[in-house]
């Protein structure tokens, strides 16, 4: 338990100065980092033909975001389809099928990194070390850029002092924000973490698979080929960029990706570091640091509650081993060097963010643990992904402001700007969207057993299907392993969910921010709703829980809750 406290404390302590640094980077003013990075960034702007001095309203900002994603998506698909004839393929790995290539390209483009393939066996070094790692740097920076634009919109835009009411507001330049996110934030952090992981023994090489003599001399297999590669660089950014995925199929449970308790601590801290820092950055950009602390408190209450419940779940015995082995915690699907506590911590953090990397198999968690990790993805705003997670959190904030305003008989407003019918209509659609997609596709898939590919019968099989679509919509990428997901049905339906879960929440939130930015600011009065006090924090947590409870309680009863009741009944029968 002490390990958990130390890891969580270090993550929070490191996030505070990082958040202050990111505030300066995206403030639009001169910053100390300009001396180091500005010349490099100007070269990138010239290379891309970008006018970095031109401001954008929400329409042009959103169009630039979508266009850049389209170009990157097409390039990613082509590389995956033709990797067998491209360089950096010493193991002569062939191309992916068209549907798997499409799913993989969209998965990494949406900062999800949901893998329906085994990385070391099906991707070349070019695909892994160049394409995948490049997307892992660029796509979180894209989400961060949209988040920065939304925060600027909430304060009236960069031209708030000169623009008139109803005029379009300057939300910054998308390309500048995206490039700064990559160059000034993610690359320096990833370099530090990659060096630390290499120090701990994570491979960092472009050599081909290495021959290893097996220990069992009686086995007919005297030698085994162990694939390596530039693993540490990918692991660093997969954690820092809330990307997930992994160089190896077993992800960070593989001893080459995560060899020691120290590397596990580094990777766990990296998993939540930037999402936590974004919360502190938000307070700086909104010029309201107390709002950051309220947000930290709301997220922290939910996060700690989920961690406690999951740790408790995993230190309980696994019912499948009842009367078959010595009593002890649930070690199925877990690495002995990490144990149930650190595996549970990673499982909750990776699903509270949109990371999705694993150091244990989520499919093997006890029912309560399974309920907690999937609930983190359904909320999708406890720390969340880089940028997109805080945007999702702001959706809940806007809804809580609206409901609070109705309860006190005052027109709902945030930072002096009224939330009206247009904004609420958009926010309502964002609440309905995951329910419609996740539950609808889960129902269709389980109705046709030939489509599902589940490895477990009954309620756990339903959970496998539900989890996969939840992971795709939350841009998380983790999965209940044992699911036969490399099929045209799974690849194509997950592509639909991946796209909807990434672009609709970000783009619709940008519309709301653009609408709020152009509104007249109401003066602060005694009736103004204060967002920084404990009352609103409690209201916000209640709104988050009630919305998700009402939307997904039946699915939980058909999954982990029902499974837990079945196991309890079987235990009483024994």
């Amino acid at each position: 338990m002490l390990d958990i406290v130390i890891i969580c404390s270090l993550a929070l302590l490191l996030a505070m100065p990082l958040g202050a640094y990111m505030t300066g980077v995206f403030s639009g003013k001169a910053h100390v980092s300009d001396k180091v990075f500005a010349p490099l960034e100007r070269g990138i702007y010239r290379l891309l033909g970008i006018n970095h001095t031109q401001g954008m309203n929400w329409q042009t900002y959103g169009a630039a975001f979508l266009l850049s994603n389209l170009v990157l998506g097409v390039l990613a698909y082509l590389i995956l389809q033709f990797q067998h004839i491209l360089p950096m393929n010493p193991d002569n790995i062939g191309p992916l099928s068209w549907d798997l290539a499409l799913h993989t390209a969209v998965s990494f483009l949406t900062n999800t990194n949901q893998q329906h393939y085994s990385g070391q066996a099906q991707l070349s070094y070019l695909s892994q070390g160049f394409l995948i790692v490049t997307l892992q740097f660029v796509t979180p920076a894209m989400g961060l850029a949209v988040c920065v634009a939304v925060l600027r919109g909430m304060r009236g835009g960069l031209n708030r002092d000169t623009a008139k009411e109803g005029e379009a507001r300057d939300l910054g330049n998308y390309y500048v924000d995206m490039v700064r996110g990559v160059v000034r934030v993610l690359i320096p952090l990833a370099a530090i973490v990659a060096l630390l992981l290499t120090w701990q023994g994570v491979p960092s090489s472009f050599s081909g698979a290495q021959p290893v003599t097996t220990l069992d001399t009686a086995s007919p297999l005297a030698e085994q080929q162990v694939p390596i590669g530039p693993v540490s660089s990918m692991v660093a950014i997969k954690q820092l960029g809330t990307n997930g995925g992994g160089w190896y199929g077993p992800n960070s449970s593989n001893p080459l990706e995560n060899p020691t308790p120290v590397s596990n601590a580094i990777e766990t801290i990296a998993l939540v570091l930037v999402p936590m820092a974004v919360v502190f950055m938000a307070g700086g950009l909104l010029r309201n640091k107390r709002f950051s602390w309220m947000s930290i408190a709301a997220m922290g209450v939910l996060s700690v509650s989920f961690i406690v419940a999951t740790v408790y779940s995993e230190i309980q015995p696994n019912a499948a081993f009842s009367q078959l082995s010595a009593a002890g915690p649930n070690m199925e699907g877990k690495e002995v060097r990490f144990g149930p506590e650190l595996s549970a911590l990673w499982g909750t953090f990776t699903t509270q963010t949109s990371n999705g990397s694993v150091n244990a198999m989520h499919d093997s968690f006890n029912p309560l643990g399974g309920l907690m990790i999937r609930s983190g993805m359904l909320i999708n705003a406890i720390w969340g992904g880089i940028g997109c997670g805080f945007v999702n959190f702001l959706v809940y904030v806007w809804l809580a402001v609206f409901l609070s305003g109705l309860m006190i008989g005052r027109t709902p407003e945030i930072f002096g700007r009224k939330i009206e019918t247009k904004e609420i209509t958009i926010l309502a659609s964002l609440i309905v969207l995951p329910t419609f997609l996740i539950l609808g596709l889960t129902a269709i898939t389980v109705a046709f057993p030939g489509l599902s590919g589940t490895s477990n019968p009954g309620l756990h099989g339903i959970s496998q299907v539900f989890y996969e679509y939840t992971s795709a919509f939350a841009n998380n990428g983790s999965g209940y392993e044992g699911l036969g997901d490399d099929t045209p049905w799974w690849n194509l339906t997950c592509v639909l969910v991946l796209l909807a879960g990434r672009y609709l929440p970000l783009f619709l939130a940008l519309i709301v921010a653009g609408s709020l930015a152009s509104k007249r600011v109401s003066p602060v009065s005694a009736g103004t709703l204060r967002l920084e006090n404990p009352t609103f924090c409690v209201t916000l947590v209640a709104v988050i829980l009630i919305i998700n409870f009402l939307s997904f309680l039946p699915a939980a009863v058909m999954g982990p809750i029902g499974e837990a009741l079945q196991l309890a009944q079987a235990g009483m029968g024994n």
Side-chain angles (χ1 to χ4, degrees):
M1 294 298 180
L2 180 60
D3 293 345
I4 294 177
V5 173
I6 292 173
I7 289 172
C8 294
S9 300
L10 284 175
L12 187 62
L13 289 173
L14 291 171
M16 287 189 280
L18 178 59
Y21 168 76
M22 292 170 65
T23 299
V25 166
F26 295 106
S27 65
K29 302 177 181 178
H31 188 251
V32 64
S33 61
D34 293 344
K35 297 178 180 179
V36 178
F37 298 110
L40 173 61
E41 291 171 352
R42 285 193 292 268
I44 295 174
Y45 301 144
R46 284 195 294 269
L47 181 65
L48 298 178
I50 294 169
N51 180 5
H52 65 280
T53 62
Q54 181 179 1
M56 297 179 175
N57 57 27
W58 75 259
Q59 293 98 329
T60 51
Y61 201 103
F65 168 64
L66 295 177
L67 178 61
S68 62
N69 277 263
L70 177 61
V71 172
L72 274 178
V74 171
L75 178 62
Y77 178 79
L78 292 175
I79 290 177
L80 293 168
Q81 275 286 273
F82 297 104
Q83 66 176 357
H84 58 298
I85 60 175
L86 293 172
M88 297 176 64
N89 189 9
D91 297 325
N92 298 314
I93 295 174
L96 302 181
S97 63
W98 73 270
D99 56 294
L100 181 57
L102 178 63
H103 175 268
T104 304
V106 171
S107 178
F108 283 86
L109 181 68
T110 56
N111 193 212
T112 307
N113 300 16
Q114 187 179 57
Q115 293 176 268
H116 289 176
Y117 64 90
S118 185
Q120 78 276 14
Q122 291 179 268
L123 293 187
S124 68
Y125 284 179
L126 180 69
S127 296
Q128 287 255 52
F130 174 72
L131 172 63
I132 297 301
V133 172
T134 298
L135 290 175
Q136 288 181 322
F137 277 100
V138 174
T139 59
M142 290 173 166
L144 179 59
V146 174
C147 178
V148 169
V150 169
L151 292 170
R152 290 173 182 150
M154 290 175 65
R155 295 298 301 184
L158 296 177
N159 60 338
R160 58 183 171 272
D161 295 330
T162 57
K164 297 179 180 179
E165 181 181 347
E167 287 185 352
R169 300 302 175 98
D170 179 5
L171 302 186
N173 186 294
Y174 165 74
Y175 297 105
V176 170
D177 293 334
M178 188 265 290
V179 169
R180 286 192 171 194
V182 173
V183 174
R184 302 196 188 197
V185 179
L186 294 176
I187 288 180
L189 287 174
I192 295 170
V193 173
L195 289 172
L196 291 173
L197 293 177
T198 302
W199 163 57
Q200 284 299 300
V202 179
S204 182
S205 170
F206 281 98
S207 300
Q210 299 296 299
V212 176
T213 302
T214 58
L215 296 177
D216 187 0
T217 56
S219 171
L221 182 65
E223 188 177 85
Q224 182 178 357
Q225 297 293 318
V226 177
I228 55 171
V231 182
S232 63
S233 60
M234 180 182 180
V235 173
I237 190 56
K238 86 166 186 179
Q239 297 299 93
L240 288 165
T242 61
N243 290 293
W247 188 276
Y248 298 97
N251 216 272
S252 286
S253 63
N254 187 298
L256 291 177
E257 263 194 43
N258 190 8
T260 69
V262 174
S263 70
N264 187 73
I266 293 169
E267 292 182 29
T268 306
I269 292 171
L271 198 157
V272 292
L273 176 60
V274 182
M276 285 183 174
V278 169
V279 183
F280 290 106
M281 177 198 76
L285 293 180
L286 291 172
R287 299 180 182 178
N288 190 334
K289 293 185 178 180
R290 293 180 64 190
F291 179 76
S292 283
W293 285 110
M294 185 281 297
S295 303
I296 287 287
M299 293 183 185
V301 167
L302 292 169
S303 181
V304 171
S305 300
F306 282 25
I307 290 170
V308 169
T310 308
V311 170
Y312 171 78
S313 168
E314 297 314 299
I315 61 177
Q316 303 305 308
N318 188 318
F321 296 109
S322 177
Q323 300 180 353
L324 296 179
S325 62
N330 177 22
M331 285 300 297
E332 181 190 347
K334 297 180 177 64
E335 277 292 325
V336 176
R337 65 187 187 275
F338 304 140
E341 293 91 349
L342 293 179
S343 299
L345 175 65
W346 186 303
T348 47
F349 269 167
T350 200
T351 48
Q352 289 171 6
T353 65
S354 68
N355 189 289
S357 65
V358 298
N359 71 347
M361 297 301 104
H362 292 179
D363 188 46
S364 298
F365 277 27
N366 284 329
L368 176 60
L371 177 63
M372 290 297 100
I373 59 177
R374 79 184 213 170
S375 297
M377 292 189 295
L378 292 171
I379 292 173
N380 201 19
I382 308 173
W383 314 126
I386 293 183
C388 59
F390 197 76
V391 168
N392 292 333
F393 180 78
L394 288 174
V395 170
Y396 288 115
V397 170
W398 291 331
L399 286 170
V401 167
F402 175 73
L403 295 174
S404 299
L406 294 181
M407 287 189 288
I408 63 175
R410 181 182 172 92
T411 302
E413 59 185 43
I414 183 167
F415 299 123
R417 294 172 169 81
K418 297 185 184 300
I419 299 178
E420 299 173 301
T421 304
K422 175 183 177 181
E423 293 80 28
I424 289 301
T425 302
I426 293 173
L427 297 177
S429 68
L430 288 176
I431 296 302
V432 174
L433 181 64
T435 309
F436 175 76
L437 279 177
I438 295 171
L439 295 181
L441 286 172
T442 298
I444 294 171
T445 303
V446 298
F448 299 94
L451 296 177
S452 62
T454 56
S455 58
N456 287 274
L459 299 182
H460 196 80
I462 296 174
S463 291
Q464 285 184 305
V465 175
F466 183 88
Y467 191 103
E468 189 74 4
Y469 286 125
T470 302
S471 174
F473 187 87
N475 296 146
N476 184 270
S478 64
Y480 268 14
E481 296 312 316
L483 185 71
D485 49 23
D486 183 14
T487 65
W489 171 260
W490 274 114
N491 287 333
L492 297 179
T493 55
C494 282
V495 163
L496 171 64
V497 180
L498 288 165
L499 293 172
R502 172 70 168 180
Y503 296 109
L504 287 178
L506 287 175
F507 196 80
L508 292 178
L510 191 62
I511 295 175
V512 171
S515 175
L516 291 174
S518 61
K519 294 186 177 184
R520 181 174 59 88
V521 180
S522 302
V524 177
S525 67
T528 300
L529 178 65
R530 301 288 181 178
L531 305 186
E532 306 86 3
N533 60 32
T535 302
F536 182 77
C537 182
V538 172
T539 303
L540 176 58
V541 171
V543 167
I544 292 172
L545 292 176
I546 291 171
I547 287 174
N548 287 278
F549 183 84
L550 294 176
S551 299
F552 297 106
L553 177 60
V557 172
M558 292 289 289
I561 294 177
E563 189 179 354
L565 293 174
Q566 285 181 338
L567 292 174
Q569 185 180 30
M572 288 187 291
N574 292 333

